[in-house]
Amino acid sequence: CQQGAAAMYEQELEVAVRAAQAAGALILAAFKEEKHVQHKANASDLVTQTDIQCEQLIKTALKGAFPTHSFIGEEASCETGQPDLTDEPTWMCDPVDGTTNFCHAFPFVCVSLALVVNRQVVVGVVLNPILDELFTATKGGGAHLNGQPIHVSDTAEMAHALLVTEVGTTRDAETFAAVFSRIKALAQTMRSVRCCGSCACNLCSVACGRCDAFYEVGFGGCWDVAAGALIVQEAGGLVLDPAGGAFNVMARRVLAANPRLAPQVAAILADCGHSAQEPGPLPEQLPGSLLVV
């Protein structure tokens, strides 16, 4: 039953929520202050002192409560590279998802935290402290926004659907052409398109029915997508590879939509392809394979 499934990871969820709220308080305090901004790969890929402080705060809280658990954080991984995922309990953390939004005081900014056990996401927490929205989910326990159950939309026709996606941070000509060819192919069939600047916030918008579908290819890493993917699934949505196969939390590719739209969106994206700089579908993500998360 749903109640029993939720209780299985109740402690982990509580600790994750508290850690996210503590980090969220730092984000909120710094939101309208002047930021010291550094560049990662280019001028579109940013990091601030708040990102680093929040990740350290979250890691300390999680390691204090669960000392044997592994931890994959965005900022540390940018220095050392994304580690391999094992079957051991592993936390995936994006301390400030939407750093560019944060730097511009654009309110789609969140803390994203997920617990993965046996390569399955079992706890997801996404907190937007600016909008005071806390999205939570446990595997089999449903998805909630500020404690209230949420569900994906029931939109069935592409012409009535609102799509959300991102243009990413890669700026080479081939990738830009691939990015906008996908947007063009879908925008021709859908009501409109939004770019909100946060993978986790976008996933949560699908989960609560604000948007009908979201896809992105080549985002930063597993920390962007793990929590939101579980929240979408527990809200009744489908999470796939954009080409229509199984979603892999480590693949840097995601499509999330309600069950009526997901196959339609995937069919269009599968024909669009990707650039040499973008991650392609893994062999186990071809249509007909099993869902990883």
Side-chain angles (χ1 to χ4, degrees):
C1 71
Q2 200 172 70
Q3 187 174 6
M8 183 179 300
Y9 294 103
E10 183 175 352
Q11 181 187 5
E12 289 85 351
L13 178 63
E14 289 179 357
V15 171
V17 167
R18 288 199 301 269
Q21 289 172 333
L26 292 181
I27 294 170
L28 189 60
F31 186 63
K32 293 188 177 180
E33 301 297 322
E34 184 177 354
K35 286 92 173 176
H36 177 63
V37 180
Q38 296 177 302
H39 298 162
K40 295 180 183 177
N42 55 44
S44 300
D45 193 6
L46 309 180
V47 63
T48 70
Q49 193 61 35
T50 303
D51 295 74
I52 297 167
Q53 290 173 341
C54 286
E55 180 163 306
Q56 188 55 54
L57 182 157
I58 291 166
K59 183 176 182 180
T60 299
L62 296 177
K63 282 290 191 179
F66 311 108
T68 63
H69 289 191
S70 298
F71 182 87
I72 300 176
E74 177 183 19
E75 304 314 328
S77 296
C78 287
E79 297 292 331
T80 62
Q82 180 174 282
D84 293 332
L85 180 63
T86 70
D87 290 336
E88 297 304 312
T90 301
W91 291 94
M92 296 179 176
C93 168
D94 191 337
V96 184
D97 189 35
T99 298
T100 298
N101 290 348
F102 175 67
C103 292
H104 288 266
F106 189 70
F108 291 92
V109 179
C110 68
V111 181
S112 179
L113 277 177
L115 175 62
V116 182
V117 179
N118 293 323
R119 302 172 191 264
Q120 302 283 310
V121 184
V122 297
V123 173
V125 173
V126 174
L127 171 67
N128 182 334
I130 314 305
L131 301 181
D132 192 24
E133 292 185 336
L134 174 65
F135 292 87
T136 57
T138 54
K139 191 170 182 64
H144 299 82
L145 166 55
N146 293 340
Q148 298 301 309
I150 55 174
H151 201 274
V152 296
S153 74
D154 60 2
T155 304
E157 297 181 31
M158 292 283 278
H160 297 163
L162 182 62
L163 172 71
V164 61
T165 187
E166 299 297 335
V167 300
T169 59
T170 304
R171 293 294 182 261
D172 67 276
E174 183 192 5
T175 298
F176 240 42
V179 167
F180 283 101
S181 71
R182 292 189 290 263
I183 293 174
K184 180 180 178 181
L186 285 168
Q188 289 174 324
T189 68
M190 302 179 81
R191 174 166 283 167
S192 194
V193 182
R194 300 289 181 267
C195 294
C196 295
S198 162
C199 182
C201 286
N202 291 339
L203 286 163
C204 289
S205 288
V206 172
C208 70
R210 286 179 191 150
C211 298
D212 301 297
F214 164 66
Y215 77 90
E216 189 171 356
V217 175
F219 49 85
C222 58
W223 46 80
D224 289 307
V225 74
L230 178 65
I231 292 166
V232 170
Q233 289 176 321
E234 290 298 324
L238 294 181
V239 182
L240 308 170
D241 181 80
F247 170 66
N248 184 314
V249 73
M250 303 299 284
R252 298 171 55 230
R253 297 168 52 91
V254 67
L255 163 62
N258 74 42
R260 295 179 176 185
L261 291 175
Q264 300 177 67
V265 177
I268 293 173
L269 290 174
D271 288 337
C272 292
H274 58 278
S275 78
Q277 302 300 316
E278 294 177 307
L282 300 178
E284 65 269 22
Q285 291 173 289
L286 297 176
S289 58
L290 296 176
L291 198 65
V292 173
V293 173

